[in-house]
Amino acid sequence: MSANAEVAAFLETVTPERRFREAAHLDRLFQETTGWQPQFWRGGMLGYGTYDYTYKSGRTGTWFATGFAPRKAKLSVYIMPGYADFGHILSGLGKHKIGKSCLYINKLEDVDLDVLKRLIRAGLEDLATRWPVQPT
């Protein structure tokens, strides 16, 4: 199965209907903002761009540069490596909660999509100062 077919097949499984529409909207937003095509990652995540990392512990790997997961309860938006430096952007985003590298949104209509785009770009710029980011 091609990467595009895998992403399309995954998006078709997203429920409920409102979450499916939001996932399709986020996919377009991420593609427009990054210029990259999505890839399906384990755990039901769509990633845009990749980077190879090496931690101080010596652990290495490859992960997506930014992306999202359309969970039933909330949308999870991933900005790597985290949100520590983005308070000035998050203050204008709208209703959300944050984790270490994850932004939780109940409904897409709760946030300002232009601010979300700024946050995605800022996250990618920050990530690129740590590890080279490759397009997908």
Side-chain angles (χ1 to χ4, degrees), residues 26 29-30 64 66-71 74-80 83 93 97-99 101-105 108 111 116 119-120:
L26 274 178
L29 183 139
F30 272 86
F64 59 84
T66 191
F68 73 95
R71 309 285 185 220
K74 295 181 182 350
L75 295 164
S76 299
V77 176
Y78 303 100
I79 306 294
M80 308 305 177
Y83 289 96
L93 182 63
K97 293 183 180 181
I98 58 171
S101 291
C102 191
L103 173 76
Y104 300 104
I105 301 169
L108 206 50
V111 298
L116 182 56
L119 183 61
I120 292 166

Side-chain angles (χ1 to χ4, degrees), residues 5-107:
E6 190 175 28
V7 168
F10 167 69
L11 287 173
E12 289 298 322
T13 69
V14 175
T15 59
E17 178 66 26
R18 175 177 61 91
R19 192 64 80 213
F20 167 78
R21 287 191 311 274
E22 290 174 325
H25 192 110
L26 274 178
D27 179 42
R28 288 188 303 275
L29 183 139
F30 272 86
Q31 286 188 53
E32 290 169 6
T33 303
T34 66
W36 302 329
Q37 294 299 305
Q39 289 183 324
F40 181 75
W41 291 74
R42 69 180 185 272
M45 297 177 281
L46 293 184
Y48 303 79
T50 62
Y51 68 100
D52 296 323
Y53 61 85
T54 302
Y55 291 139
K56 289 179 185 176
S57 66
R59 180 178 170 204
T60 63
T62 299
W63 199 242
F64 59 84
T66 191
F68 73 95
R71 309 285 185 220
K72 284 188 181 184
K74 295 181 182 350
L75 295 164
S76 299
V77 176
Y78 303 100
I79 306 294
M80 308 305 177
Y83 289 96
D85 300 324
F86 303 124
H88 63 287
I89 299 173
L90 288 169
S91 65
L93 182 63
K95 189 176 176 182
H96 69 279
K97 293 183 180 181
I98 58 171
K100 185 173 180 177
S101 291
C102 191
L103 173 76
Y104 300 104
I105 301 169
N106 287 331
K107 297 179 290 191

